[in-house]
Amino acid sequence: AFDRVFRRAGPNRADSPAVQLCDEGYMNRRLQGLSVDDPRFAEAFQEFTEHTADDRWPQHAADPGCRGRPKDGAFLIDARGQRKACAAKLLGLPPAVSWPGRGTRHEAAAACAWAVPGSFAVVRSDSGSVCFVRRQGQQIHVYEIAEDSPV
């Protein structure tokens, strides 16, 4: 379903929603062929989500390929648990809903859940709250996940 909605961003291609990688493909390469249930995927995702002062990989990171790259963007995972795109900007999606009190990250999650049939989005705010977003029929449903919920 993702491939029917998104295309790779490129010059002169503003006619439909697109995915643009924020980190020149570093996380895509690192996670290629790994399922979300692989411990190496979990480790890489944990490292990606660790906050830094400038939201970039540290210059002293063990992997020289990530040093200084942005730690930003969405992870698109297919139904088999394989990554479609990592550290991705989702461009050109029409807004699905107005979400007062939340920022662009949350609205992009809602727009993605709306646009991609059968998908859902999980979005974490800077405050640490986590929301599960899905489309059901002509409505967007949002579930806030409690901090003490089992994962």
Side-chain angles (χ1 to χ4, degrees):
F2 288 112
D3 295 334
R4 288 190 299 272
V5 175
F6 292 104
R7 61 172 169 72
R8 292 283 182 200
N12 304 319
R13 302 226 21 216
D15 55 336
S16 64
V19 171
Q20 181 181 57
L21 302 180
C22 299
D23 65 355
E24 299 176 20
Y26 169 74
M27 288 301 291
N28 265 6
R29 290 187 300 277
R30 183 171 174 183
L31 298 176
Q32 184 167 356
L34 299 181
S35 178
V36 295
D37 60 358
D38 187 306
R40 294 171 294 174
F41 189 104
E43 179 184 347
F45 188 76
Q46 173 77 30
E47 290 174 11
F48 180 82
T49 59
E50 287 173 358
H51 183 69
T52 60
D54 60 358
D55 287 331
R56 292 182 173 274
W57 289 92
Q59 291 298 334
H60 63 275
D63 183 348
C66 71
R67 294 177 183 163
R69 295 193 186 282
K71 293 170 88 176
D72 193 17
F75 276 56
L76 303 178
I77 310 296
D78 69 17
R80 297 176 323 236
Q82 300 289 312
R83 66 106 181 108
K84 296 291 288 177
C86 299
K89 291 180 187 176
L90 308 179
L91 307 171
L93 285 173
V97 294
S98 173
W99 198 341
R102 302 293 181 139
T104 55
R105 186 181 321 158
H106 290 74
E107 290 187 4
C112 185
W114 182 264
V116 181
S119 72
F120 64 87
V122 178
V123 60
R124 181 174 182 218
S125 69
D126 289 336
S127 69
S129 69
V130 177
C131 293
F132 178 87
V133 185
R134 70 180 178 96
R135 177 180 181 173
Q136 184 173 9
Q138 294 301 308
Q139 294 183 330
I140 288 286
H141 293 264
V142 177
Y143 306 90
E144 188 137 358
I145 301 170
E147 288 185 35
D148 58 355
S149 294
V151 178

